[in-house]
Amino acid sequence: MKKNYRGGRIGEEIKRIISELLLRELKDPRFSSGMVSVTGVKAADDGTIATVYFTMLGSGVGGDVSAQEKEAILGAFASAKGLIRKEIGSRLGLRHTPDLRFQFDTSEDYGRHIESIIGTLKRTSSAEADASGDFPESDVLEDLVEVLRDAGIIYLFPHENMDGDTLGSSVALCLALRKLGKDCAVVIDEKIPNNIMFIENGCTAQMTELLTETPADISILVDVAEPERLSGRSAFFLQSAKTMCVDHHVSSKPIFDYNYIDTEASATSEIMYKLILALGVEIDASIAEAVYVGIVTDTGRFQYDNTSGKTHRIAADLLEKGVSPARVSDEIYHSRRIEKLYLEKVVLSTLRSVSGGKGVIAFLTQKMLVDTGALEEETEGIAEKLRSIRGVEVSAFVRETEDGRTKGSMRSRSFYDVAELAGIFGGGGHIRAAGFTTSKPLSEVIAELADVLEKTL
Ligand code: 5GP
Ligand code: MN
């Protein structure tokens, strides 16, 4: 990728350093949402003072930034100022590091861009908008094709807690766009789970490596429609000139510049297959394998009722293009570490039944996870396993995350809407598979889930 910075401009350098520190070093919980981003740094000519402009997506309804939130971030910057100046001084080899002033960026351009996103997010959470259907229509594939053809640099964003579909669909589109000569990368900030690593194909880049690159012409959310589910990458995503979303979740709203949300699609990868054909790119064996992984994982190996004749017809074509189903299944499902089974053993020991056996809840604390030697990614599949019990309509698997929050994974069998249940905790997903992450403690979430299930199931 092309560098847009050739040295010499101290403001640019300071901006890059603070952006990096925000992502990696500054552990103040006031920065923790990943929503603070530095928009520019103006250094005085004599080098004594530099003003750091920042913006953020607030936690208020629709992302509003309250006066208190601005205050909190200013306070956090004030506490971190010493460390930031030290880093700037040592990294740039300055004898006199400029004093830093921090200021909320109200500049027109940036403000307008953020406001338009906040405006649409506001509509997302507004009940009237929902009722009146006050959302822009989803685009058609041809609109997406047109805008992608015009773009030079394109970044793709899979959702946090990467799964086979979000990575498979991102990699497939990335490979296709590269074939069209586009400068394209899948932007991540976490480790790829071991069992889906084989489809990576050199497509992913850590966000921190891209901070100094020319910004993307368009950034695309893949298998997700909420910037909040990008963990620390949300501000970076929102900085893009244009935003797009390609997704299949029922809880997703078309609030970006371009939107393609097909809730009938079994997987976002199924949409990618169509999009890649519409782009006129030939599907080679690597693209086919990535698409196939997305479909296999999101349909539970063609077993869930999101599996249609169309899903099988696409899968058939992918096999003819070189996919080996045995290799895929071996990589994803039959290459487990023994620690994953130890983990399942301790989780199963917490199993409890609610609503006369129609619901089951199991949990995992960080201590249990550490004791088994298993990885967070090895919790994948537990919620499905719990649902396999005869008579169970809803299964819920809740666990403490590394950063002290609580993540829920829910599955249902035939009638219960778990996307709505996840909504109570600020999450969403599909009717039969949904999730959430909340700052409520594990015990509280379990009690609340048990209570809701007793009453509604
Ligand atoms: P899992 O339980 O495997 O993490 O996710 C099940 C489904 O729910 C997936 O389609 C996933 O994308 C979605 N999902 C998981 N967590 C969240 C969340 O916090 N918010 C939303 N909107 N969807 C989620
Ligand atoms: Mn999906």
Side-chain angles (χ1 to χ4, degrees):
M1 279 193 205
K2 294 158 233 91
K3 295 260 181 219
N4 67 343
Y5 174 67
R6 296 267 178 263
R9 286 166 53 208
I10 191 150
E12 281 295 317
E13 281 291 1
I14 295 178
K15 176 181 168 194
R16 183 179 58 79
I17 293 171
I18 302 179
S19 301
E20 253 184 67
L21 289 173
L22 272 171
L23 292 162
R24 285 203 269 225
E25 313 288 334
L26 301 176
K27 297 281 186 242
D28 191 310
R30 289 171 287 188
F31 290 129
S32 72
S33 62
M35 292 289 189
V36 178
S37 78
V38 176
T39 55
V41 174
K42 250 190 221 143
D45 287 341
D46 62 4
T48 53
I49 296 176
T51 309
V52 179
Y53 294 92
F54 67 93
T55 188
M56 60 195 289
L57 203 58
S59 64
V61 176
D64 260 345
V65 185
S66 66
Q68 290 97 309
E69 277 177 316
K70 283 182 204 167
E71 280 301 306
I73 295 301
L74 284 169
F77 272 128
S79 329
K81 190 159 112 173
L83 185 150
I84 296 173
R85 288 190 69 211
K86 209 169 124 228
E87 283 291 323
I88 292 171
S90 74
R91 292 201 205 177
L92 300 183
L94 297 177
R95 276 209 301 150
H96 302 288
T97 308
D99 191 15
L100 301 176
R101 307 267 160 88
F102 294 91
Q103 207 167 310
F104 188 77
D105 189 349
T106 50
S107 79
E108 283 230 345
D109 275 0
Y110 204 85
R112 220 182 302 123
H113 180 57
I114 290 289
E115 251 164 40
S116 79
I117 286 158
I118 290 174
T120 44
L121 289 177
K122 257 188 193 145
R123 278 188 276 143
T124 321
S125 45
S126 135
E128 303 94 69
D130 257 334
S132 67
D134 186 24
F135 288 109
E137 287 287 306
S138 262
D139 293 294
V140 292
L141 279 182
E142 286 63 34
D143 297 328
L144 270 56
V145 167
E146 201 174 309
V147 66
L148 290 174
R149 280 193 180 282
D150 285 346
I153 304 177
I154 303 163
Y155 287 159
L156 308 176
F157 289 75
H159 60 70
E160 62 187 356
N161 296 311
M162 245 179 282
D163 61 17
D165 189 31
T166 199
L167 184 66
S169 42
S170 299
V171 165
L173 182 59
C174 179
L175 291 173
L177 290 171
R178 284 182 179 175
K179 280 190 162 189
L180 290 174
K182 307 294 177 188
D183 199 343
C184 185
V186 178
V187 183
I188 60 173
D189 65 349
E190 57 182 289
K191 226 183 109 286
I192 298 171
N194 282 321
N195 69 337
I196 51 173
M197 188 65 201
F198 70 104
I199 56 168
E200 195 268 349
N201 275 290
C203 286
T204 60
Q206 287 290 330
M207 180 185 69
T208 45
E209 292 164 18
L210 300 173
L211 293 175
T212 53
E213 304 284 343
T214 308
D217 299 318
I218 182 153
S219 283
I220 311 177
L221 289 177
V222 180
D223 195 39
V224 55
E226 295 117 12
E228 293 84 348
R229 291 191 64 219
L230 296 179
S231 53
R233 294 163 296 157
S234 44
F236 187 63
F237 168 75
L238 293 172
Q239 271 171 13
S240 187
K242 285 183 196 151
T243 56
M244 182 188 283
C245 138
V246 180
D247 189 18
H248 71 137
H249 289 96
V250 283
S251 52
S252 294
K253 300 283 188 288
I255 59 171
F256 301 92
D257 296 330
Y258 300 89
N259 306 277
Y260 193 87
I261 299 168
D262 178 2
T263 57
E264 301 284 302
S266 69
T268 300
S269 299
E270 198 178 299
I271 304 175
M272 282 314 173
Y273 171 87
K274 288 198 295 182
L275 178 58
I276 292 166
L277 290 179
L279 281 165
V281 175
E282 199 184 319
I283 295 186
D284 60 25
S286 304
I287 297 177
E289 191 172 60
V291 171
Y292 186 80
V293 164
I295 294 176
V296 165
T297 52
D298 257 31
T299 59
R301 315 181 212 186
F302 304 101
Q303 287 168 13
Y304 300 155
D305 62 13
N306 58 355
T307 311
S308 65
K310 198 173 75 188
T311 317
H312 277 290
R313 277 189 287 276
I314 293 174
D317 185 42
L318 298 172
L319 297 200
E320 277 156 14
K321 293 195 159 56
V323 173
S324 156
R327 164 174 141 91
V328 168
S329 125
D330 229 39
E331 292 280 357
I332 302 180
Y333 301 109
H334 305 129
S335 303
R336 294 180 172 158
R337 299 188 319 139
I338 196 161
E339 287 82 358
K340 178 167 169 62
L341 280 91
Y342 294 151
L343 175 82
E344 290 183 357
K345 187 170 80 169
V346 297
V347 170
L348 289 176
S349 74
T350 71
L351 189 61
R352 87 182 234 215
S353 170
V354 295
S355 271
K358 284 181 282 177
V360 282
I361 303 176
F363 68 85
L364 176 74
T365 63
Q366 272 295 312
K367 174 159 188 332
M368 289 157 66
L369 179 72
V370 171
D371 287 351
T372 58
L375 305 168
E376 302 225 357
E377 69 190 57
E378 287 169 327
T379 57
E380 180 75 30
I382 291 182
E384 282 84 7
K385 184 162 269 183
L386 300 177
R387 180 183 48 186
S388 69
I389 302 164
R390 185 193 289 267
V392 165
E393 171 62 25
V394 177
S395 67
F397 168 55
V398 262
R399 63 180 173 93
E400 268 175 4
T401 60
E402 217 175 346
D403 62 6
R405 293 184 297 164
T406 302
K407 157 116 182 85
S409 283
M410 276 100 56
R411 302 291 183 266
S412 66
R413 188 187 288 266
S414 61
F415 63 84
Y416 196 95
D417 184 347
V418 285
E420 210 181 307
L421 181 61
I424 300 176
F425 300 92
H430 306 287
I431 292 170
R432 302 276 171 263
F436 61 82
T437 302
T438 168
S439 52
K440 289 183 181 177
L442 183 69
S443 54
E444 200 177 304
V445 172
I446 294 173
E448 219 170 301
L449 269 174
D451 192 40
V452 175
L453 287 175
E454 287 290 351
K455 286 183 179 131
T456 58
L457 186 58

